[in-house]
Short mmCIF file of all heavy atoms in Angstrom, two decimals:
data_model
loop_
_atom_site.label_atom_id
_atom_site.label_comp_id
_atom_site.label_asym_id
_atom_site.label_seq_id
_atom_site.Cartn_x
_atom_site.Cartn_y
_atom_site.Cartn_z
N ALA R 63 -7.95 15.20 -14.17
CA ALA R 63 -7.77 15.41 -15.61
C ALA R 63 -6.81 14.39 -16.23
O ALA R 63 -6.97 14.01 -17.39
CB ALA R 63 -7.26 16.83 -15.85
N ARG R 64 -5.85 13.95 -15.45
CA ARG R 64 -4.82 13.07 -15.99
C ARG R 64 -5.17 11.59 -15.85
O ARG R 64 -4.75 10.76 -16.67
CB ARG R 64 -3.48 13.33 -15.29
CG ARG R 64 -2.86 14.67 -15.63
CD ARG R 64 -1.49 14.79 -14.96
NE ARG R 64 -0.86 16.06 -15.28
CZ ARG R 64 0.42 16.19 -15.61
NH1 ARG R 64 1.20 15.12 -15.67
NH2 ARG R 64 0.92 17.38 -15.87
N ALA R 65 -5.86 11.21 -14.78
CA ALA R 65 -6.15 9.80 -14.51
C ALA R 65 -7.65 9.65 -14.29
O ALA R 65 -8.17 10.09 -13.27
CB ALA R 65 -5.38 9.33 -13.28
N ARG R 66 -8.33 9.03 -15.24
CA ARG R 66 -9.78 8.91 -15.19
C ARG R 66 -10.17 7.53 -14.69
O ARG R 66 -9.71 6.52 -15.21
CB ARG R 66 -10.39 9.14 -16.57
CG ARG R 66 -10.01 10.45 -17.22
CD ARG R 66 -10.63 11.63 -16.52
NE ARG R 66 -12.08 11.61 -16.58
CZ ARG R 66 -12.86 12.55 -16.04
NH1 ARG R 66 -12.32 13.58 -15.39
NH2 ARG R 66 -14.17 12.46 -16.13
N ALA R 67 -11.00 7.49 -13.67
CA ALA R 67 -11.53 6.23 -13.15
C ALA R 67 -13.04 6.29 -13.32
O ALA R 67 -13.73 7.02 -12.61
CB ALA R 67 -11.16 6.06 -11.69
N GLU R 68 -13.57 5.52 -14.27
CA GLU R 68 -14.98 5.66 -14.64
C GLU R 68 -15.87 4.55 -14.11
O GLU R 68 -17.08 4.73 -14.02
CB GLU R 68 -15.10 5.73 -16.17
CG GLU R 68 -14.32 6.88 -16.79
CD GLU R 68 -14.78 8.25 -16.30
OE1 GLU R 68 -15.88 8.36 -15.74
OE2 GLU R 68 -14.02 9.22 -16.47
N THR R 69 -15.31 3.38 -13.81
CA THR R 69 -16.13 2.28 -13.33
C THR R 69 -15.59 1.76 -12.01
O THR R 69 -14.41 1.97 -11.67
CB THR R 69 -16.17 1.12 -14.35
OG1 THR R 69 -14.85 0.63 -14.56
CG2 THR R 69 -16.74 1.61 -15.68
N PHE R 70 -16.45 1.09 -11.26
CA PHE R 70 -16.08 0.57 -9.96
C PHE R 70 -14.83 -0.31 -10.04
O PHE R 70 -14.69 -1.12 -10.94
CB PHE R 70 -17.24 -0.24 -9.39
CG PHE R 70 -16.96 -0.87 -8.04
CD1 PHE R 70 -16.67 -0.08 -6.94
CD2 PHE R 70 -16.99 -2.24 -7.90
CE1 PHE R 70 -16.41 -0.67 -5.71
CE2 PHE R 70 -16.73 -2.84 -6.67
CZ PHE R 70 -16.44 -2.04 -5.57
N THR R 71 -13.95 -0.11 -9.08
CA THR R 71 -12.65 -0.77 -8.92
C THR R 71 -11.62 -0.33 -9.94
O THR R 71 -10.49 -0.84 -9.93
CB THR R 71 -12.73 -2.32 -8.91
OG1 THR R 71 -12.98 -2.80 -10.22
CG2 THR R 71 -13.78 -2.82 -7.93
N ASP R 72 -11.95 0.61 -10.83
CA ASP R 72 -10.91 1.19 -11.69
C ASP R 72 -9.85 1.85 -10.81
O ASP R 72 -10.17 2.64 -9.92
CB ASP R 72 -11.49 2.25 -12.62
CG ASP R 72 -12.05 1.67 -13.90
OD1 ASP R 72 -11.97 0.45 -14.07
OD2 ASP R 72 -12.56 2.46 -14.71
N ILE R 73 -8.59 1.54 -11.08
CA ILE R 73 -7.47 2.22 -10.43
C ILE R 73 -6.53 2.64 -11.55
O ILE R 73 -5.93 1.79 -12.22
CB ILE R 73 -6.75 1.32 -9.41
CG1 ILE R 73 -7.71 0.90 -8.30
CG2 ILE R 73 -5.54 2.04 -8.82
CD1 ILE R 73 -7.12 -0.09 -7.31
N GLU R 74 -6.44 3.93 -11.78
CA GLU R 74 -5.67 4.45 -12.90
C GLU R 74 -4.53 5.33 -12.39
O GLU R 74 -4.72 6.17 -11.50
CB GLU R 74 -6.57 5.28 -13.83
CG GLU R 74 -7.72 4.49 -14.43
CD GLU R 74 -7.26 3.43 -15.42
OE1 GLU R 74 -6.15 3.58 -15.97
OE2 GLU R 74 -8.01 2.46 -15.64
N TYR R 75 -3.34 5.13 -12.98
CA TYR R 75 -2.17 5.93 -12.63
C TYR R 75 -1.85 6.88 -13.77
O TYR R 75 -2.09 6.58 -14.94
CB TYR R 75 -0.96 5.04 -12.39
CG TYR R 75 -1.04 4.19 -11.15
CD1 TYR R 75 -1.66 2.93 -11.20
CD2 TYR R 75 -0.51 4.61 -9.94
CE1 TYR R 75 -1.74 2.13 -10.06
CE2 TYR R 75 -0.59 3.83 -8.80
CZ TYR R 75 -1.20 2.59 -8.87
OH TYR R 75 -1.29 1.80 -7.75
N ALA R 76 -1.27 8.02 -13.42
CA ALA R 76 -0.79 8.96 -14.43
C ALA R 76 0.51 9.57 -13.93
O ALA R 76 0.58 10.09 -12.81
CB ALA R 76 -1.82 10.06 -14.69
N ALA R 77 1.53 9.46 -14.76
CA ALA R 77 2.83 10.02 -14.39
C ALA R 77 2.74 11.55 -14.35
O ALA R 77 1.97 12.17 -15.08
CB ALA R 77 3.89 9.57 -15.38
N THR R 78 3.54 12.13 -13.50
CA THR R 78 3.67 13.58 -13.46
C THR R 78 5.13 13.92 -13.25
O THR R 78 5.98 13.03 -13.10
CB THR R 78 2.79 14.19 -12.35
OG1 THR R 78 2.83 15.62 -12.43
CG2 THR R 78 3.22 13.74 -10.97
N THR R 79 5.46 15.18 -13.27
CA THR R 79 6.84 15.63 -13.04
C THR R 79 6.85 16.57 -11.86
O THR R 79 5.82 17.14 -11.46
CB THR R 79 7.40 16.35 -14.27
OG1 THR R 79 6.67 17.58 -14.47
CG2 THR R 79 7.27 15.48 -15.53
N LEU R 80 8.03 16.77 -11.32
CA LEU R 80 8.16 17.70 -10.20
C LEU R 80 7.78 19.11 -10.63
O LEU R 80 7.17 19.87 -9.85
CB LEU R 80 9.58 17.67 -9.66
CG LEU R 80 10.13 16.27 -9.27
CD1 LEU R 80 11.49 16.40 -8.58
CD2 LEU R 80 9.15 15.53 -8.37
N GLU R 81 8.08 19.45 -11.87
CA GLU R 81 7.74 20.78 -12.38
C GLU R 81 6.23 20.94 -12.50
O GLU R 81 5.66 21.99 -12.16
CB GLU R 81 8.43 21.02 -13.73
CG GLU R 81 9.93 21.09 -13.68
CD GLU R 81 10.62 19.73 -13.52
OE1 GLU R 81 9.96 18.69 -13.76
OE2 GLU R 81 11.81 19.72 -13.17
N ASP R 82 5.55 19.91 -12.99
CA ASP R 82 4.10 19.98 -13.13
C ASP R 82 3.41 20.07 -11.77
O ASP R 82 2.41 20.76 -11.61
CB ASP R 82 3.58 18.77 -13.91
CG ASP R 82 3.88 18.85 -15.39
OD1 ASP R 82 4.31 19.92 -15.86
OD2 ASP R 82 3.69 17.83 -16.08
N LEU R 83 3.94 19.33 -10.80
CA LEU R 83 3.37 19.40 -9.46
C LEU R 83 3.53 20.80 -8.87
O LEU R 83 2.61 21.33 -8.24
CB LEU R 83 4.02 18.36 -8.56
CG LEU R 83 3.64 16.90 -8.83
CD1 LEU R 83 4.55 15.97 -8.05
CD2 LEU R 83 2.18 16.65 -8.47
N ALA R 84 4.69 21.38 -9.08
CA ALA R 84 4.92 22.73 -8.57
C ALA R 84 3.97 23.72 -9.23
O ALA R 84 3.45 24.63 -8.58
CB ALA R 84 6.37 23.15 -8.81
N ALA R 85 3.71 23.53 -10.53
CA ALA R 85 2.79 24.43 -11.23
C ALA R 85 1.36 24.23 -10.77
O ALA R 85 0.57 25.18 -10.73
CB ALA R 85 2.89 24.18 -12.74
N ALA R 86 0.99 22.99 -10.39
CA ALA R 86 -0.37 22.72 -9.94
C ALA R 86 -0.63 23.22 -8.52
O ALA R 86 -1.79 23.41 -8.14
CB ALA R 86 -0.66 21.21 -10.01
N ALA R 87 0.43 23.41 -7.75
CA ALA R 87 0.28 23.91 -6.37
C ALA R 87 1.29 25.02 -6.14
O ALA R 87 2.23 24.87 -5.35
CB ALA R 87 0.47 22.78 -5.37
N PRO R 88 1.12 26.16 -6.83
CA PRO R 88 2.14 27.22 -6.77
C PRO R 88 2.29 27.84 -5.39
O PRO R 88 3.33 28.45 -5.09
CB PRO R 88 1.63 28.26 -7.80
CG PRO R 88 0.16 28.00 -7.88
CD PRO R 88 0.00 26.53 -7.71
N GLY R 89 1.30 27.71 -4.55
CA GLY R 89 1.39 28.28 -3.21
C GLY R 89 2.13 27.41 -2.22
O GLY R 89 2.31 27.82 -1.05
N VAL R 90 2.55 26.21 -2.64
CA VAL R 90 3.24 25.29 -1.73
C VAL R 90 4.73 25.31 -2.06
O VAL R 90 5.14 24.91 -3.14
CB VAL R 90 2.69 23.85 -1.86
CG1 VAL R 90 3.42 22.92 -0.90
CG2 VAL R 90 1.20 23.83 -1.61
N ASP R 91 5.51 25.78 -1.13
CA ASP R 91 6.94 25.84 -1.33
C ASP R 91 7.54 24.45 -1.20
O ASP R 91 7.36 23.78 -0.17
CB ASP R 91 7.57 26.77 -0.28
CG ASP R 91 9.08 26.84 -0.41
OD1 ASP R 91 9.57 27.08 -1.52
OD2 ASP R 91 9.76 26.62 0.62
N ASP R 92 8.21 23.95 -2.27
CA ASP R 92 8.92 22.67 -2.25
C ASP R 92 7.99 21.52 -1.86
O ASP R 92 8.13 20.90 -0.80
CB ASP R 92 10.11 22.75 -1.29
CG ASP R 92 11.01 21.51 -1.36
OD1 ASP R 92 10.87 20.73 -2.33
OD2 ASP R 92 11.80 21.31 -0.42
N LEU R 93 7.02 21.22 -2.73
CA LEU R 93 6.04 20.18 -2.45
C LEU R 93 6.71 18.83 -2.19
O LEU R 93 6.33 18.11 -1.25
CB LEU R 93 5.07 20.06 -3.62
CG LEU R 93 4.00 18.97 -3.50
CD1 LEU R 93 3.13 19.19 -2.28
CD2 LEU R 93 3.15 18.89 -4.77
N VAL R 94 7.70 18.47 -3.00
CA VAL R 94 8.39 17.20 -2.80
C VAL R 94 9.05 17.16 -1.42
O VAL R 94 8.97 16.16 -0.70
CB VAL R 94 9.41 16.95 -3.91
CG1 VAL R 94 10.33 15.78 -3.57
CG2 VAL R 94 8.70 16.67 -5.23
N GLY R 95 9.70 18.25 -1.06
CA GLY R 95 10.32 18.30 0.25
C GLY R 95 9.31 18.21 1.38
O GLY R 95 9.58 17.60 2.43
N ARG R 96 8.14 18.80 1.19
CA ARG R 96 7.10 18.73 2.22
C ARG R 96 6.57 17.30 2.36
O ARG R 96 6.33 16.83 3.47
CB ARG R 96 5.96 19.68 1.87
CG ARG R 96 6.34 21.14 1.83
CD ARG R 96 6.74 21.66 3.21
NE ARG R 96 6.85 23.10 3.21
CZ ARG R 96 5.99 23.93 3.80
NH1 ARG R 96 4.98 23.44 4.48
NH2 ARG R 96 6.18 25.23 3.74
#
Side-chain angles (χ1 to χ4, degrees):
R64 291 184 179 224
R66 304 291 297 180
E68 301 300 343
T69 61
F70 178 62
T71 74
D72 274 0
I73 299 175
E74 299 292 337
Y75 291 87
T78 186
T79 66
L80 306 187
E81 294 76 17
D82 286 350
L83 288 169
V90 181
D91 178 51
D92 187 15
L93 177 60
V94 168
R96 297 294 191 109

